[in-house]
Amino acid sequence: MSVADQAPRFTSPVEQRMWSERIPVPWWIFGLILLLLPVVANNFWLFQIMGWTFILGMIGLSLMFLAGYGGMVSLLQMSIAGMAGYMVAILGPSGAANVSLGLSWWIVIPAAFLIAALFATICGALAVRTDGIYTIMITLAIAAAFFYFTRQNYSIFNGYSGFNLVLPPKLFGVNWRAPVPFYYLTLACAVLCYGAVVYLARAPFGLALQGVRDNPRRMAALGFNVTAHRVAAYALTSVFASAGGILLVWQNAQIAPGTIGVSSAIDVLVVAVVGGIRRPLGPFIGAFIYVLLQVFSTDILGFFGFAADRFKLIIGIGFLAIVLFSPDGVLGLWDRWRAGVAARKAAATGGGA
Amino acid sequence: MNAPVVSSRINMPGAGNASSGNALELRGITKMFGALAAISDVTLSVKPGERRAVLGSNGAGKTTLFNCITGDFLPTAGLVRFFGEDVTVFPPHERIRRGLRRTYQISSLFTGLSVMDNVYLACCGVSRNRFSLVRPRPDDALVHAAEILVAAVHLTDDKDRLVGELAYGQQRQLEVALALSGAPRFVLFDEPAAGLSPTERADLVTILTSLPAHIGFIIIEHDMDVALRVADSVTMMHNGRIFKEGRSDEIESDPEVQELYLGGGHAQH
């Protein structure tokens, strides 16, 4: 794995253009489509499909940052998202009035981010001393422990039933859970998180993290505290995971242990790997595919005469195919297809000349 | 050549408390790998600004000695003092932040990054900018420092190329640049001339001899021509022990050294 992945290098001042000119045309079109989607799409697509895609994409993005730039494959990201989601339910108003504190949103949301960051830092500090498969094992263990804890603890996490009626605050008089506002809310959060990751990849912290991934011993010999850098990466990615987790609670209007179960933790990994774990766009592509499969697999499976609850079978087969044929995920397939087209074009013009 | 030294934003604790007056002091350093003693009972001191060559055949323990000084390995026994401070159990990054630097015998670079990014990272490592979440502006002090360093090792024309694409000799030069980032006080060069062409060797000798006088270094080098031209004094190692120490000219003419290293069958290069 190399740091080169399409990251821009230092450019001399002469080469610096307006930021708007540096964004290629396809991105503008893509952005315009996303902005105007509510004109054509129905509420189900906006709220269920796209909303969920952005949320899952953000949680996947937090894993992409850790794994793609830091080389740390963590199964904790859903737990971190869940911690933030739970905090919103516990500190703010919910249907479980005997447990929830009912504080106002401007305390609840920052507190949720902070507590999730603290949780991520502590778990990160445990996980970063291990490598490869052991990181996966220890983060899986923490994720499972947190799942069982929320299920058995009633005084804080309200046990098996969790919290229902957890609604977003009616800021500016808007019902943020209505499909169109919720679509724009999740879109805005996803774009912010995506932009932050792209930007951070070239900031000293992000560069150093990629250095730590490629050559930790040399990084230490350059004065970097490799362990501290890795733990800081966990803390930083908790921001993206928390944003996703809070939106997820608002979308479902509830959170329960099932939200943060081991299978959800693994789904985040699947989403990031299927889309492409080396680039910030990957998790969003993976999330879109995952959501489409999950929502429409009933129809697909029914068509082939399987039971509808076998949708994980389709996802599993898709995951296997991607991992076998394209370790870079869907984005890797796309790159190779574009390279193939360019090569054929070059061959064609070369032959004509 | 400009001094490739940047003094801004550097942590330098412990500066000027050189109680022993030595830049580097090793006492009784022993490193065992299982039952094998890679180095045993090495006692060595180098004054600030002194340039020392460490000679010895392969397996004499030279690189192990470096690893004990930088903290890559903890010595089994013994004491390492850096400018009077006991750093024996310090992790590597703490020693680096105190002004110690090293290069690697086999280039240890970030091959997926550009030349500029490699040097910029090295400059960040010893600054307080390590954790900065803000991208550097083109007039950033650290970017400027990195540019000076890149120029010092004659890589300005290739500064935007990926390190993996560089020629071998250029990668060796970049190794040296990484070790000179920040404000080095003492540098360990591990065979910097290995595999270089005669012209590149001459270049390297120029870079080493024109380092600011306060920067001392230890150089492991098989090429006697390079070693004796850049060093004031020589330590000979043999089978993990110090075998002889002296001024460069004394060592060069010492009959025992001639026998063991220069003329004898142990010579490697």
Side-chain angles (χ1 to χ4, degrees):
Chain A
M1 209 189 277
S2 88
V3 190
D5 343 281
Q6 41 112 265
R9 312 259 154 68
F10 283 113
T11 46
S12 64
V14 194
E15 290 164 33
Q16 292 243 333
R17 290 169 291 165
M18 283 291 291
W19 66 271
S20 54
E21 291 173 72
R22 277 184 279 156
I23 300 176
V25 177
W27 282 90
W28 282 109
I29 299 171
F30 185 54
L32 214 60
I33 292 173
L34 285 178
L35 266 182
L36 297 179
L37 198 64
V39 179
V40 288
N42 64 23
N43 286 348
F44 175 74
W45 270 83
L46 290 180
F47 187 76
Q48 277 300 327
I49 308 253
M50 297 312 290
W52 195 13
T53 296
F54 292 139
I55 290 169
L56 207 51
M58 275 182 266
I59 302 174
L61 184 69
S62 74
L63 171 60
M64 177 272 142
F65 192 89
L66 274 184
Y69 294 151
M72 296 173 279
V73 180
S74 150
L75 289 175
L76 263 176
Q77 303 314 108
M78 195 66 209
S79 306
I80 296 167
M83 180 59 99
Y86 258 116
M87 284 307 135
V88 166
I90 293 166
L91 300 175
S94 86
N98 55 328
V99 184
S100 287
L101 298 176
L103 302 174
S104 46
W105 65 270
W106 54 268
I107 302 176
V108 171
I109 295 174
F113 273 99
L114 275 179
I115 293 170
L118 192 67
F119 177 65
T121 310
I122 294 168
C123 297
L126 284 171
V128 296
R129 289 169 195 283
T130 57
D131 252 336
I133 188 87
Y134 300 101
T135 309
I136 298 177
M137 293 302 294
I138 199 164
T139 52
L140 182 65
I142 297 172
F146 184 52
F147 164 68
Y148 285 111
F149 182 74
T150 56
R151 214 163 70 160
Q152 288 163 10
N153 178 288
Y154 279 83
S155 52
I156 303 171
F157 291 97
N158 205 26
Y160 196 79
S161 47
F163 299 85
N164 59 1
L165 291 174
V166 187
L167 301 173
K170 284 208 168 31
L171 265 187
F172 311 113
V174 178
N175 174 13
W176 290 102
R177 232 183 138 244
V180 175
F182 190 76
Y183 171 78
Y184 281 121
L185 177 66
T186 49
L187 174 64
C189 291
V191 168
L192 273 179
C193 290
Y194 174 83
V197 168
V198 170
Y199 179 85
L200 287 172
R202 297 291 307 162
F205 179 79
L207 262 184
L209 189 64
Q210 295 167 74
V212 166
R213 173 194 68 197
D214 289 346
N215 198 340
R217 189 173 161 206
R218 183 57 191 249
M219 288 304 278
L222 293 178
F224 289 92
N225 183 344
V226 169
T227 307
H229 228 86
R230 285 178 170 153
V231 175
Y234 269 91
L236 186 69
T237 58
S238 79
V239 176
F240 312 129
S242 300
I246 293 171
L247 289 169
L248 185 66
V249 175
W250 287 344
Q251 188 194 29
N252 297 331
Q254 61 101 27
I255 185 163
T259 317
I260 56 160
V262 168
S263 76
S264 314
I266 292 170
D267 286 345
V268 174
L269 179 65
V270 170
V271 156
V273 171
V274 164
I277 205 162
R278 292 178 199 174
R279 274 183 262 169
L281 192 60
F284 290 100
I285 308 250
F288 187 57
I289 296 171
Y290 177 91
V291 170
L292 285 184
L293 278 178
Q294 174 132 8
V295 171
F296 294 111
S297 60
T298 326
D299 307 324
I300 305 168
L301 286 164
F303 183 78
F304 290 105
F306 290 107
D309 58 354
R310 294 275 172 84
F311 81 93
K312 292 247 166 173
L313 184 71
I314 296 191
I315 291 173
I317 292 173
F319 181 72
L320 268 182
I322 292 282
V323 171
L324 273 177
F325 296 113
S326 176
D328 286 353
V330 174
L331 279 178
L333 287 177
W334 167 252
D335 281 348
R336 256 164 280 159
W337 180 76
R338 289 232 328 213
V341 169
R344 255 173 279 145
K345 234 183 228 172
T349 51
Chain B
M1 194 190 73
N2 287 326
V5 174
V6 186
S7 52
S8 62
R9 294 193 244 177
I10 305 291
N11 330 325
M12 202 188 278
N17 62 349
S19 56
S20 60
N22 286 321
L24 184 71
E25 195 179 337
L26 307 179
R27 263 195 238 147
I29 294 286
T30 299
K31 177 67 193 174
M32 308 287 294
F33 292 109
L36 176 83
I39 48 178
S40 34
D41 198 21
V42 169
T43 296
L44 179 75
S45 51
V46 188
K47 286 192 265 309
E50 185 182 342
R51 281 110 200 252
R52 174 78 59 99
V54 173
L55 305 179
S57 52
N58 284 353
K62 306 181 299 288
T63 298
T64 306
L65 183 68
F66 271 20
N67 284 332
C68 287
I69 299 173
T70 57
D72 285 42
F73 302 154
L74 289 183
T76 314
L79 188 77
V80 182
R81 279 177 185 279
F82 188 63
F83 284 90
E85 188 178 12
D86 182 358
V87 298
T88 314
V89 295
F90 279 28
H93 64 264
E94 288 293 347
R95 308 180 194 214
I96 302 303
R97 291 176 195 174
R98 281 164 173 72
L100 182 68
R101 298 285 185 279
R102 80 171 290 183
T103 71
Y104 288 85
Q105 188 178 0
I106 297 160
S107 293
S108 178
L109 302 163
F110 305 99
T111 50
L113 285 176
S114 72
V115 171
M116 229 353 236
D117 286 350
N118 269 265
V119 182
Y120 177 70
L121 264 185
C123 294
C124 282
V126 283
S127 79
R128 294 192 189 281
N129 255 19
R130 279 186 292 272
F131 287 99
S132 172
L133 299 178
V134 182
R135 285 189 188 180
R137 297 157 52 91
D139 58 352
D140 186 280
L142 290 175
V143 172
H144 187 59
E147 273 167 352
I148 292 173
L149 269 175
V150 168
V153 294
H154 316 303
L155 286 174
T156 305
D157 292 342
D158 298 292
K159 75 185 174 104
D160 293 324
R161 284 178 66 196
L162 289 184
V163 168
E165 299 168 356
L166 292 185
Y168 178 80
Q170 291 175 309
Q171 294 192 0
R172 298 304 293 169
Q173 278 165 324
L174 187 58
E175 263 298 323
V176 173
L178 294 194
L180 298 179
S181 61
R185 293 199 283 174
F186 200 85
V187 190
L188 307 173
F189 292 106
D190 197 346
E191 294 197 39
L196 293 188
S197 71
T199 338
E200 289 167 335
R201 274 165 202 246
D203 245 11
L204 179 76
V205 170
T206 317
I207 290 172
L208 294 183
T209 47
S210 52
L211 283 177
H214 73 276
I215 302 180
F217 60 75
I218 300 183
I219 181 170
I220 296 176
E221 189 48 67
H222 280 303
D223 184 338
M224 292 293 279
D225 203 36
V226 173
L228 298 178
R229 273 168 69 194
V230 299
D232 325 312
S233 55
V234 174
T235 297
M236 291 283 306
M237 284 184 74
H238 188 60
N239 289 339
R241 287 174 185 280
I242 290 188
F243 168 71
K244 194 143 271 187
E245 273 187 309
R247 288 208 324 273
S248 301
D249 48 339
E250 294 169 359
I251 292 289
E252 203 177 0
S253 54
D254 186 289
E256 264 187 311
V257 173
Q258 295 270 348
E259 169 63 24
L260 182 75
Y261 189 70
L262 301 175
H266 289 84
Q268 299 293 318
H269 287 273

